[in-house]
């Protein structure tokens, strides 16, 4: 009798157990919203294009926002959460320079999605950020790629959580590889994702040491093209407002292309972490490949972005679908 009771209890528990396992192992899929919000991609595309027409900064700001979100607690839109006490991810020194236009792009796209009665409160801010990122890459001349969907929004966002989670401009190759490997990203992925700097901009304070006081013997970093260093000194003179920003790709700053890698071959990587990709022999061949073939770069970038988009995602019954991207429900 006791055994029969156990069997009945087990059978009653089985559906609950299977539901829990299913909810926790739900995988991302491109057609995740096919029944709940079938037009989500076109709605986000339209909103992002409208924002992009207002300001080009939409593109680099959104792309950087996605990267910063995924590298801290995974791609869960936790970077978007605001706090009254200034203690969230976006308040950390590494995130304070994230341009407001990136946040505004996601908020506007979310509003557009939720204005459709069928879609209201069905699509996560994390997925909207991922879709918006794909749009800005394509709008600036980069590849169109399939975005996997089904992420849910995180409920946790802390300033402390950002500490030592994001690459710094002075990183060497080993530091870059170690940080990216933590998220299952290879050296090739890291080099391809660095190519996002093709439409990036940087504040003078982030590289001033390379052009003014690298070492007592070499005021200018010897891996930096000297003529380029002199141009940088003119754009970012000593004691300039450190918030002044300049283009990371001085040649085609508004086009998503492989010129970033051609610049590295000429010693024109703005950050140490850019130039090291060419100056270190272990990564130089990949830089040369991407410099010689925009197609090879695009292919590697899409593969790396797909892997990045899977980092630490919340699916199934974990997390939530935020009604307002800047606050928990």
């Amino acid at each position: 009798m006791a055994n029969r009771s156990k069997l009945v209890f087990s059978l009653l528990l089985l559906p609950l157990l299977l539901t829990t396992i299913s909810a926790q192992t739900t995988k991302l899929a491109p057609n995740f919203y096919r029944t709940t919000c079938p037009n989500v991609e076109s709605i986000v595309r339209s909103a992002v294009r409208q924002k992009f027409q207002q300001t080009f900064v939409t593109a680099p700001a959104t792309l950087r926002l996605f990267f910063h979100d995924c590298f801290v607690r995974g791609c869960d839109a936790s970077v978007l959460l605001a706090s009254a006490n200034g203690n969230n991810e976006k308040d950390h020194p590494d995130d304070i320079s994230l341009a407001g236009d990136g946040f505004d792009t996601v908020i506007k796209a979310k509003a557009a999605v939720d204005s459709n009665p069928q879609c209201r409160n069905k699509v996560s801010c994390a997925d909207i950020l991922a879709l918006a990122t794909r749009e800005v890459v394509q709008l600036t001349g980069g590849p169109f790629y399939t975005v996997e969907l089904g992420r849910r929004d995180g409920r946790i966002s802390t300033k402390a959580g950002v500490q030592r989670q994001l690459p710094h401009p002075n990183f060497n190759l080993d530091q870059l590889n170690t940080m990216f490997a933590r998220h299952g990203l290879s050296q090739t992925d890291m080099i391809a994702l660095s190519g996002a700097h093709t439409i990036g901009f940087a504040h003078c304070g982030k590289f001033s040491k390379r052009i003014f006081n690298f070492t007592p013997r070499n005021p200018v970093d010897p891996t930096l093209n000297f003529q380029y260093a002199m141009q940088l000194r003119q754009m970012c003179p000593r004691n300039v407002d450190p918030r002044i920003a300049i283009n990371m790709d001085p040649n085609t700053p508004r086009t998503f292309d492989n010129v970033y890698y051609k610049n590295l071959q000429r010693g024109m990587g703005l950050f140490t972490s850019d130039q090291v990709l060419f100056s270190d022999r272990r990564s130089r061949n990949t830089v040369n490949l991407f410099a010689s073939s925009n197609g090879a770069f695009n292919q590697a970038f899409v593969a790396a972005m797909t892997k990045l988009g899977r980092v630490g995602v919340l699916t199934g019954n974990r997390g939530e679908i935020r009604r307002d991207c800047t606050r928990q429900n």
Side-chain angles (χ1 to χ4, degrees):
M1 189 70 181
N3 285 340
R4 180 178 286 184
S5 299
K6 282 181 184 173
L7 179 62
V8 171
F9 184 65
S10 297
L11 288 172
L12 287 171
L13 270 181
L14 190 61
L16 179 65
L17 183 64
L18 289 175
T19 303
T20 306
I21 291 170
S22 160
Q24 289 180 346
T25 58
T26 305
K27 288 189 175 171
L28 302 182
N31 60 355
F32 183 83
Y33 296 105
R34 71 186 178 281
T35 57
T36 50
C37 183
N39 298 324
V40 62
E41 298 202 29
S42 58
I43 296 171
V44 171
R45 181 171 300 128
S46 176
V48 173
R49 288 189 174 191
Q50 201 173 342
K51 172 71 180 172
F52 181 74
Q53 283 163 2
Q54 293 168 4
T55 172
F56 176 82
V57 176
T58 300
T62 304
L63 185 49
R64 187 164 178 246
L65 187 64
F66 180 67
F67 180 83
H68 278 234
D69 182 47
C70 292
F71 258 50
V72 180
R73 303 194 65 86
C75 311
D76 66 347
S78 53
V79 73
L80 299 172
L81 288 170
S83 70
N85 60 8
N87 200 35
N88 279 14
E89 283 178 31
K90 64 186 292 190
D91 304 306
H92 189 278
D94 288 352
D95 278 345
I96 277 178
S97 63
L98 288 169
D101 285 304
F103 295 90
D104 191 49
T105 299
V106 179
I107 289 164
K108 282 187 163 64
K110 171 72 167 170
V113 170
D114 282 355
S115 69
N116 182 316
Q118 184 181 0
C119 301
R120 188 167 300 135
N121 301 329
K122 302 274 176 60
V123 183
S124 68
C125 301
D127 276 346
I128 288 172
L129 175 53
L131 286 169
T133 302
R134 188 263 308 275
E135 296 308 321
V136 298
V137 168
Q138 192 192 19
L139 281 168
T140 50
F144 179 87
Y145 55 94
T146 300
V147 177
E148 297 175 333
L149 301 167
R151 300 168 191 79
R152 286 166 68 86
D153 299 321
R155 296 187 176 100
I156 300 168
S157 180
T158 65
K159 188 192 284 190
V162 182
Q163 198 65 24
R164 291 188 292 278
Q165 297 302 312
L166 293 164
H168 279 211
N170 61 347
F171 268 16
N172 62 32
L173 188 67
D174 290 324
Q175 290 170 307
L176 289 167
N177 279 335
T178 299
M179 182 164 281
F180 278 71
R182 268 192 237 151
H183 303 294
L185 297 162
S186 67
Q187 177 173 285
T188 301
D189 295 327
M190 179 271 291
I191 297 169
L193 291 170
S194 297
H197 287 169
T198 180
I199 57 166
F201 56 88
H203 297 94
C204 293
K206 295 289 184 185
F207 58 87
S208 59
K209 187 180 178 188
R210 292 191 76 202
I211 58 174
F212 287 116
N213 53 351
F214 187 66
T215 65
R217 180 174 287 185
N218 292 307
V220 176
D221 182 343
T223 66
L224 193 59
N225 178 299
F226 189 74
Q227 191 177 351
Y228 181 48
M230 295 304 103
Q231 289 172 356
L232 292 174
R233 280 186 172 188
Q234 286 184 325
M235 291 184 281
C236 291
R238 284 185 193 274
N239 304 319
V240 71
D241 184 336
R243 292 169 298 179
I244 297 290
I246 68 160
N247 294 319
M248 297 194 75
D249 175 354
N251 294 312
T252 57
R254 292 186 168 222
T255 306
F256 192 98
D257 56 22
N258 65 337
V259 172
Y260 165 82
Y261 301 101
K262 295 178 182 181
N263 291 337
L264 299 186
Q265 291 174 321
R266 298 168 59 200
M268 295 169 66
L270 189 59
F271 293 161
T272 300
S273 57
D274 292 311
Q275 195 56 50
V276 75
L277 303 180
F278 183 76
S279 57
D280 194 308
R281 291 175 182 271
R282 295 171 294 170
S283 47
R284 187 178 300 163
N285 285 345
T286 307
V287 170
N288 288 338
L289 171 65
F290 293 166
S292 67
S293 170
N294 198 51
F297 163 50
N298 283 345
Q299 192 176 349
F301 182 79
V302 167
M305 285 294 280
T306 303
K307 286 168 73 173
L308 177 63
R310 296 170 183 160
V311 170
V313 294
L314 303 173
T315 59
N317 59 5
R318 296 157 67 210
E320 64 185 9
I321 305 292
R322 264 181 238 147
R323 287 186 285 274
D324 175 346
C325 288
T326 66
R327 63 186 67 182
Q328 297 172 43
N329 290 345

